[in-house]
Amino acid sequence: ATRRAPDDSVWVDVTSRGMAVRGLLLAAAAAAAAGLRTTQRGSQFATTKSATGISSNDAVLRLFDRKTRTNVVLVGTMHYNPHSIALTEKVVRREAAEGKLRSVVIESCPTRWNSTLKVQPPGSFLRVLCDNEMQAAAEVADEFGCNLELGDQTIEETGRRASQLLALTIVQLLTPFSGGWSRLAEDS
C-alpha cells in the first residue's frame, strides 16, 4: 500500500503483501531511481526530496534497521562507472569522517574479491585502468580503519544454480507435451 502524506513524502507499507525486507529494498531502489531519500520507520519507509548535499539524481538511501538498531546507507551504483565510483568514495568518506561508518559491505564473494585484488592490486596500472566502486569503497574504508564485509553469494553457488536452471530449461524445452513449455511460459 502506498499513500502520500501532507508533506509530499510517500509512505509505502512493504509488509502488507508479505514482502518485508525484499519489498523494502525493491521499493527503496525504486525510490532511489526517482531521486528520493528514504527513511524507514518500522515496516514502512518515507521518501522525501534529498537534502543531504548529494544530488537528488544520486541513488543514496538511508535506512534504519530496527532489529540491529543501526543506520544503513545504501549506495546504488553501476559497475565501473566513473560517476558511481566518485559517489561511492564521497559517501563512504563522508560517513567515515563523521564517525558514522562501522563497516562497508560490497557486492562480492571471497573468490571474486581475492581474484580482483590479485589482478588489480592498489596502485597497479590495471587497478587505475579498471577503476571500480567496490575497490574504491574498500580503500576508503581501509583508510579510516573500518571493516570490510563481502555481501554476495559465492560465485560457486551462482554457477551451480545457473547450471541447474539451464538443465531444467533444456528439459522443459524438450518436453512440450508434458507441460514443459507451459512451465517456461509461467516463468516469464
Side-chain angles (χ1 to χ4, degrees):
T2 303
R3 64 183 186 277
R4 188 166 293 281
D7 67 353
D8 204 36
S9 63
V10 178
W11 284 89
V12 179
D13 184 350
V14 296
T15 59
S16 65
R17 295 196 176 135
M19 296 185 297
V21 172
R22 183 169 186 210
L24 172 64
L25 293 176
L26 292 174
L36 303 173
R37 191 185 74 188
T38 305
T39 305
Q40 176 188 0
R41 293 195 179 135
S43 64
Q44 299 179 333
F45 69 89
T47 59
T48 57
K49 291 291 180 189
S50 178
T52 63
I54 293 180
S55 165
S56 63
N57 293 328
D58 294 329
V60 178
L61 303 172
R62 297 181 178 285
L63 306 166
F64 181 77
D65 181 354
R66 284 187 350 172
K67 185 175 181 179
T68 62
R69 305 184 61 75
T70 304
N71 290 312
V72 177
V73 179
L74 298 176
V75 181
T77 64
M78 179 187 303
H79 295 315
Y80 301 97
N81 177 283
H83 177 76
S84 291
I85 295 163
L87 176 64
T88 300
E89 287 177 339
K90 179 179 179 179
V91 170
V92 173
R93 187 171 304 285
R94 185 187 66 224
E95 295 295 317
E98 293 176 2
K100 298 177 182 177
L101 187 66
R102 293 192 316 203
S103 295
V104 169
V105 180
I106 60 170
E107 181 192 2
S108 194
C109 70
T111 302
R112 290 182 302 151
W113 183 245
N114 291 332
S115 175
T116 299
L117 293 178
K118 182 178 177 181
V119 173
Q120 301 175 20
S124 70
F125 175 74
L126 198 51
R127 169 68 180 94
V128 173
L129 183 65
C130 298
D131 197 10
N132 64 82
E133 71 290 348
M134 290 181 274
Q135 281 184 286
E139 289 165 3
V140 174
D142 186 54
E143 178 183 325
F144 284 90
C146 297
N147 294 328
L148 178 68
E149 303 292 333
L150 303 176
D152 204 354
Q153 81 178 4
T154 66
I155 191 69
E156 295 85 2
E157 176 64 18
T158 301
R160 186 183 69 73
R161 289 286 299 137
S163 295
Q164 287 176 339
L165 290 173
L166 177 60
L168 178 61
T169 300
I170 290 170
V171 167
Q172 289 175 341
L173 284 171
L174 296 175
T175 58
F177 302 110
S178 300
W181 287 7
S182 62
R183 284 190 294 278
L184 286 172
E186 292 169 4
D187 285 344
S188 311

